[in-house]
Amino acid sequence: MGVSADNLRGLALALSSSIFIGSSFIVKKKGLKKAGSTGVRAGSGGFSYLHEPLWWFGMGTMIVGEAANFVAYAFAPAILVTPLGALSIIVSAVMAHFMLNEKLHAFGILGCILCVVGSTTIVLHAPKEREIESVKEVWYLATEPGFLVYACLAVALVAFLIIRLVPRYGQTHMIVYVGICSLMGSLTVMSVKAISIALKLTVQGMNQFVYYQTWLLTAVVIICILTQMNYLNKALDTYNTAVISPVFYVMFTTLTILASMIMFKDWDSQDATQIATELCGFITILSGTFLLHKTKDLGNSSRRNTEPNEPNATSNT
């Protein structure tokens, strides 16, 4: 498919967004660690990080990245914009390696490369953006039975995770926090896309803020973002950043593409070959993330194994 000017704008904005967001993971974690040394850690339910300037700087960086991502959804389909978040994995993993001493093994680097290759495959075969002329049209799509079922299931699962699993397994199973962020994130993207379209149409002279649907969708975005921020902070404060970033990316991307497929019917205009290629790209991303997750401790364990041997070597001489 040809690359339109709007798609190019969307791609540029999504790429810059990934750089800002990937950096924000590291800056926020440094702020969380600094705040946790003098107060109750976020992973234990504390909010001392709110008094830490470094955390706020990281939050500002994330806001800039999210703003760029927000605008990108006005120009390109979600199935094209969302996979580019793979770049944030590379930025986050490399910065964590040098700044947080969270060592990334060679297989982890290969995993990151696979994530980028898979994302590129999806981007190159992404469907064209659906033409939408009013936020009321988006509201109609959001209230169709298929998406209503998805939204209700997502909210119910988030409630179950928060009420039943967070108290028991939040500190031991990363998937609990990441699952909450990913489920809410998929709903956030659908709402953000609607708001970005409303802004784009308003700038073009068709005011969309006279419709109550625009304000309802804005409220959904705010609620979802606040929920994500809370549990993402807990995840970052509890687990390795180099693992949180890719796992969150894969779950978030999977659910967002699914939600977009249900709501906007992105794949209706594609043939079987294009869909199969996108699926192969996504499997490549999953493979890269699995490899990164399974080898996350190799670098650190090898370093720990060499440390005890040093005094032994000295005593034998």
Side-chain angles (χ1 to χ4, degrees), residues 76-135:
I79 199 172
L80 186 150
V81 174
T82 306
L84 288 178
L87 181 59
S88 67
I89 296 174
I90 305 302
V91 174
S92 180
V94 172
M95 291 183 68
H97 179 85
F98 290 105
M99 298 178 64
L100 298 177
N101 202 33
E102 295 179 358
K103 299 303 180 182
L104 191 63
H105 192 268
F107 286 110
I109 296 174
L110 176 60
C112 290
I113 293 173
L114 288 173
C115 288
V116 173
V117 171
S119 296
T120 303
T121 303
I122 292 176
V123 168
L124 292 176
H125 295 84
K128 294 182 179 179
E129 174 75 316
R130 175 173 181 160
E131 293 293 333
I132 295 179
E133 299 178 354
S134 170
V135 74

Side-chain angles (χ1 to χ4, degrees), residues 211-258:
Y211 304 120
Y212 74 89
Q213 291 93 336
T214 303
W215 297 105
L216 283 176
L217 290 167
T218 301
V220 171
V221 169
I222 293 172
I223 293 171
C224 290
I225 287 177
L226 289 176
T227 304
Q228 282 180 263
M229 183 177 69
N230 182 37
Y231 287 97
L232 184 57
N233 282 331
K234 293 179 183 293
L236 286 173
D237 193 48
T238 307
Y239 303 102
N240 192 313
T241 308
V243 179
I244 286 289
S245 297
V247 173
F248 172 63
Y249 165 76
V250 168
M251 288 190 66
F252 168 69
T253 302
T254 302
L255 293 169
T256 298
I257 290 177
L258 176 61

Side-chain angles (χ1 to χ4, degrees), residues 155-168 176-177 180 184 227 230-231:
V155 172
L157 186 53
V158 166
F160 174 75
L161 288 170
I162 292 175
I163 296 171
R164 298 297 300 274
L165 299 189
V166 166
R168 298 181 181 180
V176 176
Y177 289 150
I180 294 171
M184 296 303 285
T227 304
N230 182 37
Y231 287 97

Side-chain angles (χ1 to χ4, degrees), residues 6-312:
D6 276 355
N7 276 355
L8 287 175
R9 294 189 188 100
L11 286 172
L13 287 164
L15 288 171
S16 63
S17 169
S18 294
I19 294 173
F20 279 109
I21 291 174
S23 302
S24 75
F25 273 97
I26 306 306
V27 179
K28 284 174 67 180
K29 178 147 189 178
K30 287 182 73 69
L32 288 167
K33 292 176 70 175
K34 187 175 180 181
S37 64
T38 57
V40 180
R41 295 179 55 184
S44 301
F47 294 93
S48 59
Y49 60 85
L50 294 175
H51 301 285
E52 175 54 51
L54 189 60
W55 182 86
W56 281 108
F57 180 76
M59 178 56 63
T61 305
M62 177 169 280
I63 290 172
V64 172
E66 293 293 353
N69 208 43
F70 182 95
V71 180
Y73 283 113
F75 295 99
I79 199 172
L80 186 150
V81 174
T82 306
L84 288 178
L87 181 59
S88 67
I89 296 174
I90 305 302
V91 174
S92 180
V94 172
M95 291 183 68
H97 179 85
F98 290 105
M99 298 178 64
L100 298 177
N101 202 33
E102 295 179 358
K103 299 303 180 182
L104 191 63
H105 192 268
F107 286 110
I109 296 174
L110 176 60
C112 290
I113 293 173
L114 288 173
C115 288
V116 173
V117 171
S119 296
T120 303
T121 303
I122 292 176
V123 168
L124 292 176
H125 295 84
K128 294 182 179 179
E129 174 75 316
R130 175 173 181 160
E131 293 293 333
I132 295 179
E133 299 178 354
S134 170
V135 74
K136 296 176 73 174
E137 185 178 345
V138 180
W139 183 260
Y140 171 78
L141 294 172
T143 53
E144 286 189 330
F147 187 74
L148 280 178
V149 169
Y150 173 83
C152 290
L153 287 174
V155 172
L157 186 53
V158 166
F160 174 75
L161 288 170
I162 292 175
I163 296 171
R164 298 297 300 274
L165 299 189
V166 166
R168 298 181 181 180
Y169 306 110
Q171 298 293 309
T172 56
H173 292 73
M174 174 182 62
I175 201 71
V176 176
Y177 289 150
V178 176
I180 294 171
C181 295
S182 301
L183 286 164
M184 296 303 285
S186 66
L187 298 179
T188 301
V189 168
M190 297 303 100
S191 301
V192 161
K193 186 165 181 64
I195 301 302
S196 62
I197 290 172
L199 287 171
K200 179 181 177 182
L201 292 173
T202 299
V203 170
Q204 293 174 349
M206 296 174 283
N207 186 8
Q208 301 297 301
F209 289 88
V210 297
Y211 304 120
Y212 74 89
Q213 291 93 336
T214 303
W215 297 105
L216 283 176
L217 290 167
T218 301
V220 171
V221 169
I222 293 172
I223 293 171
C224 290
I225 287 177
L226 289 176
T227 304
Q228 282 180 263
M229 183 177 69
N230 182 37
Y231 287 97
L232 184 57
N233 282 331
K234 293 179 183 293
L236 286 173
D237 193 48
T238 307
Y239 303 102
N240 192 313
T241 308
V243 179
I244 286 289
S245 297
V247 173
F248 172 63
Y249 165 76
V250 168
M251 288 190 66
F252 168 69
T253 302
T254 302
L255 293 169
T256 298
I257 290 177
L258 176 61
S260 181
M261 182 178 65
I262 295 172
M263 181 171 170
F264 292 99
K265 302 174 178 61
D266 290 324
W267 286 346
D268 281 359
S269 62
Q270 294 190 296
D271 57 32
T273 302
Q274 290 174 305
I275 294 174
T277 303
E278 290 175 13
L279 289 175
C280 288
F282 189 65
I283 292 172
T284 302
I285 295 174
L286 291 177
S287 301
T289 305
F290 177 79
L291 182 61
L292 180 59
H293 178 70
K294 295 300 289 185
T295 61
K296 65 182 185 299
D297 294 325
L298 288 181
N300 294 330
S301 61
S302 62
R303 190 175 74 250
R304 287 194 298 266
N305 290 337
T306 57
E307 288 174 352
N309 292 334
E310 293 176 358
N312 292 339

